[in-house]
Amino acid sequence: MTRHSLRAVLAATLAVASLSAAPALANPAADKCAAGLSPEGKLMHKTVAPHVKADSDIEQLMRKHLRGLVMGGKLKLKTAEANGQAVGRCLSLLKG
């Protein structure tokens, strides 16, 4: 693959990714909900939100994407568990 075609593919991929993330970013109810979360809850929300789609299983997404934060020491397991329901409610608003 030439450099030019690689750049074109990368540009197209980024364009599609930004379009698919646009609804999640332009959701006032979800934004308002996330604003009321604790700092740790906001971190959890920010980590998972880009992956939410209309047919997403929020609980499964949270497990998948938050595990790394817990294992990496950026988030304590008890804190994640304590914030889980509130973050899940905010994330579910992104589904539309």
Side-chain angles (χ1 to χ4, degrees):
M1 190 176 275
T2 68
R3 239 184 203 184
H4 187 319
S5 61
L6 182 60
R7 283 186 185 154
V9 168
L10 181 58
T13 302
L14 290 173
V16 169
S18 67
L19 288 175
S20 65
L25 299 175
N27 187 320
D31 293 342
K32 183 177 179 181
C33 183
L37 296 171
S38 68
E40 295 86 357
K42 289 177 184 176
L43 172 64
M44 293 167 64
H45 187 274
K46 185 176 98 172
T47 301
V48 180
H51 306 285
V52 175
K53 296 184 174 86
D55 62 346
S56 293
D57 179 333
I58 299 296
E59 187 176 342
Q60 200 171 49
L61 277 179
M62 289 177 70
R63 279 195 201 113
K64 178 180 178 182
H65 295 287
L66 297 177
R67 180 173 281 133
L69 292 178
V70 172
M71 299 301 281
K74 294 180 180 178
L75 183 65
K76 292 182 180 180
L77 180 59
K78 286 186 178 190
T79 304
E81 290 172 344
N83 286 278
Q85 286 188 343
V87 173
R89 280 191 296 275
C90 293
L91 291 169
S92 68
L93 294 173
L94 294 173
K95 292 173 70 169

